[in-house]
Amino acid sequence: MPLQMHEDFIIQAKEKLRQDNRIRGLLAGGSMITGIMDEYSDLDFIVVYDACYKEEIMKNRMQIAEKLGHLLSAFTGEHVGEPRLLICLYGQPLLHVDLKFVTIQELEQRVENPVILWERGEEVSHLFQRTASNFPYPDPQWIEDRFWIWIHYGASKLGRGELFELIDHLSFMRNTVIGPLLHIKNGELPRGVRKLEEYEGEELDELKETIPNHSTESCYHALKKTIHLYQRLRQHLGDFEYKSEAEQASIAYLESVYSSK
């Protein structure tokens, strides 16, 4: 359930947005859908507006955000491929709030069914009744086609001694491949590495081994563990073409690089 600071902000946001006739509703995603919120939770808002005001709304998003509370700083979400998103920090108390501005029509394509905090009329409710959410799952062939090239790339960084770059590369593979596949194996949505700490025992211990320190030995073993985890987890993805020749070649290359150090 939302804490008092979340509730206070929600009440204030609804009050301000009701005064803007261009706005059709305020929805909430993320942890508000599951009801699991704590003092560290942010607010994931979807601000639904009338499509005829699109240019005007997108131009004036910052001014809308400023009306919702004491806005300390904000920036747009192009870095995550979502230019409709405004990432905000409000205070006091400090509160992270994501504001995604969408038209009612754009809501038809969604990854989850957000909570309706307020709507003008029932247009949003009716849209949710006649359409379904669709969370994107990774394409196993897309991963397999790239994974062994990524391993070769990591091995080349190991050979050059570019360990900071290799550590970043291992994080990328963990977030893009290992984390999502581990979630899928456990019957969860493939949300990167989010909340992987909830998995206990051998799985969590193995995942920790993909996190190296700044040494050749540690980075090599992290690459090896990443390979072993992927080889096991891909078995849960159904039928697709294994790139066996690339797999063998990239692993052999990693071993040759390591043995020459």
PDB file of all heavy atoms in Angstrom, residues 192-206:
ATOM      1  N   GLY A 192      14.579  -7.466 -16.370  1.00  0.00           N
ATOM      2  CA  GLY A 192      16.008  -7.237 -16.169  1.00  0.00           C
ATOM      3  C   GLY A 192      16.527  -7.936 -14.933  1.00  0.00           C
ATOM      4  O   GLY A 192      16.278  -9.126 -14.717  1.00  0.00           O
ATOM      5  N   VAL A 193      17.246  -7.202 -14.089  1.00  0.00           N
ATOM      6  CA  VAL A 193      17.784  -7.780 -12.858  1.00  0.00           C
ATOM      7  C   VAL A 193      16.985  -7.337 -11.632  1.00  0.00           C
ATOM      8  O   VAL A 193      17.412  -7.533 -10.494  1.00  0.00           O
ATOM      9  CB  VAL A 193      19.273  -7.395 -12.663  1.00  0.00           C
ATOM     10  CG1 VAL A 193      20.129  -7.984 -13.767  1.00  0.00           C
ATOM     11  CG2 VAL A 193      19.441  -5.871 -12.615  1.00  0.00           C
ATOM     12  N   ARG A 194      15.818  -6.750 -11.864  1.00  0.00           N
ATOM     13  CA  ARG A 194      15.056  -6.199 -10.748  1.00  0.00           C
ATOM     14  C   ARG A 194      14.623  -7.287  -9.775  1.00  0.00           C
ATOM     15  O   ARG A 194      14.050  -8.306 -10.159  1.00  0.00           O
ATOM     16  CB  ARG A 194      13.837  -5.445 -11.261  1.00  0.00           C
ATOM     17  CG  ARG A 194      13.105  -4.729 -10.151  1.00  0.00           C
ATOM     18  CD  ARG A 194      12.122  -3.721 -10.635  1.00  0.00           C
ATOM     19  NE  ARG A 194      11.648  -2.918  -9.530  1.00  0.00           N
ATOM     20  CZ  ARG A 194      10.606  -2.099  -9.597  1.00  0.00           C
ATOM     21  NH1 ARG A 194       9.960  -1.983 -10.733  1.00  0.00           N
ATOM     22  NH2 ARG A 194      10.235  -1.410  -8.555  1.00  0.00           N
ATOM     23  N   LYS A 195      14.921  -7.068  -8.511  1.00  0.00           N
ATOM     24  CA  LYS A 195      14.519  -7.931  -7.394  1.00  0.00           C
ATOM     25  C   LYS A 195      15.027  -9.363  -7.520  1.00  0.00           C
ATOM     26  O   LYS A 195      14.419 -10.292  -6.961  1.00  0.00           O
ATOM     27  CB  LYS A 195      12.994  -7.914  -7.233  1.00  0.00           C
ATOM     28  CG  LYS A 195      12.458  -6.531  -6.873  1.00  0.00           C
ATOM     29  CD  LYS A 195      10.981  -6.556  -6.551  1.00  0.00           C
ATOM     30  CE  LYS A 195      10.509  -5.159  -6.127  1.00  0.00           C
ATOM     31  NZ  LYS A 195       9.075  -5.132  -5.783  1.00  0.00           N
ATOM     32  N   LEU A 196      16.135  -9.561  -8.222  1.00  0.00           N
ATOM     33  CA  LEU A 196      16.718 -10.897  -8.286  1.00  0.00           C
ATOM     34  C   LEU A 196      17.208 -11.355  -6.915  1.00  0.00           C
ATOM     35  O   LEU A 196      17.396 -12.553  -6.687  1.00  0.00           O
ATOM     36  CB  LEU A 196      17.875 -10.932  -9.286  1.00  0.00           C
ATOM     37  CG  LEU A 196      17.498 -10.865 -10.764  1.00  0.00           C
ATOM     38  CD1 LEU A 196      18.745 -10.875 -11.631  1.00  0.00           C
ATOM     39  CD2 LEU A 196      16.580 -12.025 -11.160  1.00  0.00           C
ATOM     40  N   GLU A 197      17.398 -10.402  -6.004  1.00  0.00           N
ATOM     41  CA  GLU A 197      17.819 -10.757  -4.652  1.00  0.00           C
ATOM     42  C   GLU A 197      16.784 -11.617  -3.927  1.00  0.00           C
ATOM     43  O   GLU A 197      17.093 -12.259  -2.914  1.00  0.00           O
ATOM     44  CB  GLU A 197      18.079  -9.491  -3.826  1.00  0.00           C
ATOM     45  CG  GLU A 197      19.317  -8.709  -4.239  1.00  0.00           C
ATOM     46  CD  GLU A 197      19.079  -7.808  -5.440  1.00  0.00           C
ATOM     47  OE1 GLU A 197      17.928  -7.731  -5.927  1.00  0.00           O
ATOM     48  OE2 GLU A 197      20.044  -7.161  -5.888  1.00  0.00           O
ATOM     49  N   GLU A 198      15.563 -11.653  -4.454  1.00  0.00           N
ATOM     50  CA  GLU A 198      14.519 -12.460  -3.826  1.00  0.00           C
ATOM     51  C   GLU A 198      14.722 -13.952  -4.063  1.00  0.00           C
ATOM     52  O   GLU A 198      14.147 -14.782  -3.354  1.00  0.00           O
ATOM     53  CB  GLU A 198      13.142 -12.035  -4.340  1.00  0.00           C
ATOM     54  CG  GLU A 198      12.762 -10.614  -3.933  1.00  0.00           C
ATOM     55  CD  GLU A 198      11.404 -10.197  -4.464  1.00  0.00           C
ATOM     56  OE1 GLU A 198      10.806 -10.995  -5.224  1.00  0.00           O
ATOM     57  OE2 GLU A 198      10.947  -9.086  -4.137  1.00  0.00           O
ATOM     58  N   TYR A 199      15.508 -14.311  -5.071  1.00  0.00           N
ATOM     59  CA  TYR A 199      15.794 -15.723  -5.313  1.00  0.00           C
ATOM     60  C   TYR A 199      16.868 -16.182  -4.335  1.00  0.00           C
ATOM     61  O   TYR A 199      17.882 -15.522  -4.154  1.00  0.00           O
ATOM     62  CB  TYR A 199      16.250 -15.951  -6.751  1.00  0.00           C
ATOM     63  CG  TYR A 199      15.219 -15.526  -7.778  1.00  0.00           C
ATOM     64  CD1 TYR A 199      15.587 -14.811  -8.903  1.00  0.00           C
ATOM     65  CD2 TYR A 199      13.879 -15.838  -7.613  1.00  0.00           C
ATOM     66  CE1 TYR A 199      14.651 -14.416  -9.853  1.00  0.00           C
ATOM     67  CE2 TYR A 199      12.933 -15.447  -8.549  1.00  0.00           C
ATOM     68  CZ  TYR A 199      13.328 -14.736  -9.664  1.00  0.00           C
ATOM     69  OH  TYR A 199      12.386 -14.350 -10.580  1.00  0.00           O
ATOM     70  N   GLU A 200      16.636 -17.296  -3.719  1.00  0.00           N
ATOM     71  CA  GLU A 200      17.547 -17.761  -2.678  1.00  0.00           C
ATOM     72  C   GLU A 200      18.323 -18.987  -3.141  1.00  0.00           C
ATOM     73  O   GLU A 200      18.019 -19.601  -4.151  1.00  0.00           O
ATOM     74  CB  GLU A 200      16.759 -18.087  -1.404  1.00  0.00           C
ATOM     75  CG  GLU A 200      16.030 -16.884  -0.817  1.00  0.00           C
ATOM     76  CD  GLU A 200      15.222 -17.246   0.409  1.00  0.00           C
ATOM     77  OE1 GLU A 200      15.125 -18.450   0.715  1.00  0.00           O
ATOM     78  OE2 GLU A 200      14.706 -16.328   1.070  1.00  0.00           O
ATOM     79  N   GLY A 201      19.349 -19.321  -2.366  1.00  0.00           N
ATOM     80  CA  GLY A 201      20.080 -20.556  -2.585  1.00  0.00           C
ATOM     81  C   GLY A 201      21.047 -20.494  -3.747  1.00  0.00           C
ATOM     82  O   GLY A 201      21.681 -19.477  -4.016  1.00  0.00           O
ATOM     83  N   GLU A 202      21.144 -21.598  -4.466  1.00  0.00           N
ATOM     84  CA  GLU A 202      22.155 -21.780  -5.508  1.00  0.00           C
ATOM     85  C   GLU A 202      22.037 -20.746  -6.620  1.00  0.00           C
ATOM     86  O   GLU A 202      23.049 -20.239  -7.115  1.00  0.00           O
ATOM     87  CB  GLU A 202      22.060 -23.189  -6.092  1.00  0.00           C
ATOM     88  CG  GLU A 202      23.132 -23.502  -7.118  1.00  0.00           C
ATOM     89  CD  GLU A 202      23.004 -24.905  -7.674  1.00  0.00           C
ATOM     90  OE1 GLU A 202      22.161 -25.677  -7.162  1.00  0.00           O
ATOM     91  OE2 GLU A 202      23.751 -25.226  -8.621  1.00  0.00           O
ATOM     92  N   GLU A 203      20.813 -20.424  -7.032  1.00  0.00           N
ATOM     93  CA  GLU A 203      20.628 -19.473  -8.128  1.00  0.00           C
ATOM     94  C   GLU A 203      21.243 -18.116  -7.793  1.00  0.00           C
ATOM     95  O   GLU A 203      21.935 -17.512  -8.610  1.00  0.00           O
ATOM     96  CB  GLU A 203      19.147 -19.313  -8.453  1.00  0.00           C
ATOM     97  CG  GLU A 203      18.559 -20.462  -9.241  1.00  0.00           C
ATOM     98  CD  GLU A 203      17.133 -20.211  -9.662  1.00  0.00           C
ATOM     99  OE1 GLU A 203      16.477 -19.359  -9.020  1.00  0.00           O
ATOM    100  OE2 GLU A 203      16.664 -20.862 -10.609  1.00  0.00           O
ATOM    101  N   LEU A 204      20.976 -17.619  -6.595  1.00  0.00           N
ATOM    102  CA  LEU A 204      21.505 -16.321  -6.199  1.00  0.00           C
ATOM    103  C   LEU A 204      23.018 -16.375  -6.047  1.00  0.00           C
ATOM    104  O   LEU A 204      23.732 -15.445  -6.449  1.00  0.00           O
ATOM    105  CB  LEU A 204      20.857 -15.859  -4.892  1.00  0.00           C
ATOM    106  CG  LEU A 204      21.251 -14.466  -4.404  1.00  0.00           C
ATOM    107  CD1 LEU A 204      20.927 -13.411  -5.460  1.00  0.00           C
ATOM    108  CD2 LEU A 204      20.534 -14.142  -3.098  1.00  0.00           C
ATOM    109  N   ASP A 205      23.531 -17.471  -5.503  1.00  0.00           N
ATOM    110  CA  ASP A 205      24.980 -17.616  -5.348  1.00  0.00           C
ATOM    111  C   ASP A 205      25.678 -17.612  -6.706  1.00  0.00           C
ATOM    112  O   ASP A 205      26.730 -16.989  -6.876  1.00  0.00           O
ATOM    113  CB  ASP A 205      25.303 -18.912  -4.597  1.00  0.00           C
ATOM    114  CG  ASP A 205      24.879 -18.866  -3.133  1.00  0.00           C
ATOM    115  OD1 ASP A 205      24.727 -17.742  -2.608  1.00  0.00           O
ATOM    116  OD2 ASP A 205      24.692 -19.932  -2.540  1.00  0.00           O
ATOM    117  N   GLU A 206      25.084 -18.298  -7.671  1.00  0.00           N
ATOM    118  CA  GLU A 206      25.664 -18.332  -9.011  1.00  0.00           C
ATOM    119  C   GLU A 206      25.622 -16.959  -9.669  1.00  0.00           C
ATOM    120  O   GLU A 206      26.563 -16.550 -10.353  1.00  0.00           O
ATOM    121  CB  GLU A 206      24.934 -19.358  -9.872  1.00  0.00           C
ATOM    122  CG  GLU A 206      25.240 -20.791  -9.528  1.00  0.00           C
ATOM    123  CD  GLU A 206      24.636 -21.751 -10.532  1.00  0.00           C
ATOM    124  OE1 GLU A 206      23.392 -21.845 -10.582  1.00  0.00           O
ATOM    125  OE2 GLU A 206      25.399 -22.383 -11.275  1.00  0.00           O
TER     126      GLU A 206
END
